[in-house]
Amino acid sequence: MIINHSSTIEIDRNALANNLKFIRNLIGEKVQLSSVIKGNAYGHGIKQILPELELLGVNHFAVYSSFEAKIAHQYTTKPASKIMVMGDISAKDQEWVIKNKIEFFVFNLKHFKDMLALAKKTESKLYIHLELETGMNRHGLLENQYEEIENLLAQNKKYICLKGICTHFAGAESSANFKRIETQKKRFSSGLNYFIEKGHEPQYKHTSCSAGIIAYPECNHNLVRVGILQYGLWPSQEIELMYNADFKKKNTLKSVLSWRSKIVDVKTVKAGEFVGYGNSFLAETAMKIASVPIGYGYGFSRSLSNTGRVLVNGKRLSVIGTVNMNMFLIEVTNIDVEIGDTVTLIGKDGEQAINVSYFGDLSEQLNYELLTRLDKSIPRQVI
């Protein structure tokens, strides 16, 4: 491994292929997979992940903002690939979105009217997904807005392609939200039927995320928006247990991401000396410690102080002292190490492994939070 940065992130091509196969076995061949690559592809890197997904047959990508859409568009390699913005489109990007036939969620009347006016001005077409507010209470079209939306659709058929009608479940990863989601399902069905009865049949109907395709497979419709599963991680432990119980199959997901750094210094500390900032760690005996040039500034949380674990030369070692912005320390008293030895923060080393879930639990972060906090400047490389 060659590192020209304090650390590097590795993207496992075979693991990604494995996870896509897992997802397709769940949803079947007739359901369109929209690969969610928001949050810099959940920390994996849009630049690296998108072309790999295209090679695996994925042709529909979901991002949150027009900013992310521009990045995704830059790295698409196939003309058939479509990009869908699920959230924010900045005013300065509206014309670009229309020109490049970027699909987008309509959840706000004012924004829709602005985009429609621009489409008319440029003699272009909008490729839209109507997002219905069904109980998430985040953003979406309210029932009392349906009539006005319908009128706009009917009066502007030349400028509008209705790609989809959708909603988002408020926590499909937990059974605690079951009643709420059942209500959402009914409201979505009602809203969908309203537009269909008015003559507006969408190409796609979609509600399900990664958790949804397992917890509510009847709601897969003909498109699903899958993020965390494709990276080899479960939306929650409950969903993993549900899959094991309901599908009675072995978990075959494989983590796509590994994160590695290196040892930059080795030294000894006398008994009775404190290590690092403050007095959170006291060397009770003579110790050998090593420094690793990664800290909370890169996504290695400060909460891992005196609790984190890393792998070096196939051994699981403890983080000692307070994690700094750019550095943390590990105890290496009982093993042979040298400056330049690889330090695995997430991933495998010999028979040992530190997975994202374990790392997240130690740092008190969700998988999603942990991954998206990985510094974008860390080099990503596909292996």
Side-chain angles (χ1 to χ4, degrees):
M1 178 184 62
I2 299 174
I3 297 178
N4 59 1
H5 187 277
S6 295
S7 67
T8 190
I9 289 172
E10 298 170 354
I11 307 300
D12 189 327
R13 174 179 287 149
N14 292 330
L16 187 63
N18 173 83
N19 301 337
L20 262 292
K21 182 179 179 181
F22 175 90
I23 293 164
R24 285 179 170 134
N25 285 338
L26 281 176
I27 65 176
E29 295 181 1
K30 295 181 179 180
V31 177
Q32 170 73 47
L33 170 62
S34 182
S35 169
V36 181
I37 55 171
K38 64 181 181 178
N40 197 31
Y42 289 54
H44 293 67
I46 291 175
K47 175 182 177 181
Q48 290 76 19
I49 284 289
L50 195 152
E52 294 296 323
L53 288 168
E54 284 185 318
L55 289 173
L56 294 168
V58 178
N59 61 10
H60 199 275
F61 301 92
V63 297
Y64 179 74
S65 64
S66 56
F67 174 81
E68 291 178 331
K70 283 187 167 182
I71 298 172
H73 188 265
Q74 182 181 353
Y75 293 105
T76 51
T77 62
K78 298 186 177 181
S81 290
K82 306 298 181 185
I83 299 168
M84 177 175 71
V85 176
M86 300 184 291
D88 177 53
I89 297 175
S90 71
K92 68 174 184 173
D93 289 337
Q94 289 178 353
E95 190 170 346
W96 179 88
V97 165
I98 294 171
K99 178 182 177 181
N100 288 282
K101 299 180 180 180
I102 304 297
E103 300 173 20
F104 62 93
F105 279 19
V106 169
F107 53 83
N108 178 286
L109 261 171
K110 182 184 181 303
H111 180 258
F112 182 34
K113 290 177 180 178
D114 289 345
M115 294 291 281
L116 185 55
L118 187 55
K120 289 180 177 180
K121 180 180 177 181
T122 57
E123 286 294 318
S124 304
K125 183 167 282 193
L126 305 179
Y127 296 84
I128 69 169
H129 296 250
L130 299 181
E131 183 182 14
L132 308 184
E133 173 51 71
T134 59
M136 177 73 165
N137 292 315
R138 187 170 61 177
H139 54 51
L141 299 170
L142 300 172
E143 187 175 356
N144 61 15
Q145 296 175 313
Y146 290 178
E147 184 177 352
E148 186 172 358
I149 289 289
E150 193 280 321
N151 287 334
L152 288 170
L153 294 176
Q155 295 166 10
N156 297 279
K157 291 183 179 180
K158 177 182 177 181
Y159 302 103
I160 297 172
C161 176
L162 184 58
K163 295 294 292 184
I165 297 179
C166 62
T167 197
H168 188 69
F169 290 147
E173 71 280 356
S174 173
S175 59
N177 299 313
F178 176 78
K179 185 176 180 180
R180 188 176 175 189
I181 290 173
E182 286 298 306
T183 299
Q184 285 190 274
K185 288 163 61 176
K186 293 175 183 177
R187 290 175 179 171
F188 177 71
S189 179
S190 175
L192 177 64
N193 289 335
Y194 172 85
F195 286 101
I196 291 176
E197 288 170 3
K198 293 290 186 178
H200 307 293
E201 177 81 38
Q203 180 180 353
Y204 295 116
K205 303 148 193 173
H206 50 110
T207 62
S208 288
C209 57
S210 289
I213 66 174
I214 294 174
Y216 302 95
E218 72 278 9
C219 297
N220 285 351
H221 301 293
N222 63 346
L223 183 145
V224 293
R225 310 179 302 264
V226 177
I228 199 77
L229 280 177
Q230 67 188 349
Y231 305 111
L233 304 166
W234 294 96
S236 67
Q237 187 176 36
E238 183 176 335
I239 290 295
E240 180 180 7
L241 293 172
M242 183 183 294
Y243 172 82
N244 291 336
D246 292 353
F247 292 84
K248 295 180 174 61
K249 295 178 182 178
K250 184 180 178 182
N251 168 22
T252 57
L253 288 176
K254 296 181 179 180
S255 181
V256 172
L257 180 145
S258 298
W259 186 17
R260 306 187 199 278
S261 187
K262 60 188 176 183
I263 289 175
V264 294
D265 192 23
V266 180
K267 64 184 298 182
T268 57
V269 176
K270 296 178 182 178
E273 296 282 344
F274 287 106
V275 175
Y277 281 120
N279 55 7
S280 69
F281 187 88
L282 175 69
E284 296 183 352
T285 61
M287 299 174 62
K288 184 170 65 170
I289 65 172
S291 56
V292 184
I294 285 294
Y296 59 79
Y298 301 100
F300 195 87
S301 175
R302 197 168 187 270
S303 63
L304 292 166
S305 302
N306 294 309
T307 61
R309 300 290 186 273
V310 298
L311 305 176
V312 180
N313 298 335
K315 303 292 184 182
R316 189 178 297 266
L317 304 175
S318 298
V319 175
I320 59 173
T322 301
V323 174
N324 304 172
M325 182 184 292
N326 305 100
M327 180 187 297
F328 66 86
L329 302 169
I330 56 176
E331 182 182 0
V332 294
T333 304
N334 297 315
I335 67 168
D336 293 326
V337 297
E338 296 179 357
I339 292 173
D341 282 354
T342 297
V343 178
T344 297
L345 314 174
I346 298 173
K348 293 182 178 180
D349 183 354
E351 298 298 315
Q352 297 289 330
I354 294 177
N355 59 36
V356 172
S357 297
Y358 176 75
F359 187 99
D361 288 343
L362 285 178
S363 58
E364 301 175 350
Q365 299 176 92
L366 296 174
N367 290 341
Y368 306 83
E369 181 183 4
L370 162 67
L371 291 170
T372 56
R373 285 188 172 186
L374 295 177
D375 187 1
K376 291 181 176 63
S377 71
I378 300 172
R380 273 85 167 158
Q381 58 184 35
V382 178
I383 60 171

